[in-house]
Amino acid sequence: MPKITVDGTEYDTENLSTNGKAQLASLQFLEVQMQKLKNEIAVYQTARAGYAAALQNELAKIEAK
C-alpha cells in the first residue's frame, strides 16, 4: 500500500478517489518536470559562467595591448 505524506499526515493512496489519484499523478508528473527544469537551468548557468570567463579573457587581451 503506497503512502503519501501531506502537511505531516500520512495517507494510504489506495483510499484515494479516482479524482484524488489523478491529482496525485499530476503532482508527481509536475515534480519530475520541475526537477528536469532545475537540472537544465544548472547546465545553462554553467555554460553562462564559461562564456563569461571566455569573454573576460578576450577583454583582458584588449587591455594588454
Side-chain angles (χ1 to χ4, degrees):
M1 290 188 263
K3 297 185 184 229
I4 58 168
T5 302
V6 177
D7 295 331
T9 303
E10 192 173 84
Y11 298 93
D12 182 354
T13 58
E14 290 182 11
N15 293 332
L16 288 172
S17 66
T18 301
N19 185 39
K21 289 177 183 177
Q23 298 303 321
L24 177 59
S26 294
L27 281 172
Q28 291 171 329
F29 171 79
L30 287 173
E31 288 293 330
V32 169
Q33 296 306 308
M34 289 169 59
Q35 187 58 52
K36 286 180 183 180
L37 288 172
K38 287 176 186 177
N39 293 342
E40 207 171 324
I41 287 170
V43 169
Y44 296 148
Q45 289 173 329
T46 300
R48 180 178 62 187
Y51 290 135
L55 177 58
Q56 286 177 335
N57 187 34
E58 290 300 315
L59 294 172
K61 289 178 187 178
I62 293 171
E63 289 178 3
K65 289 184 180 181

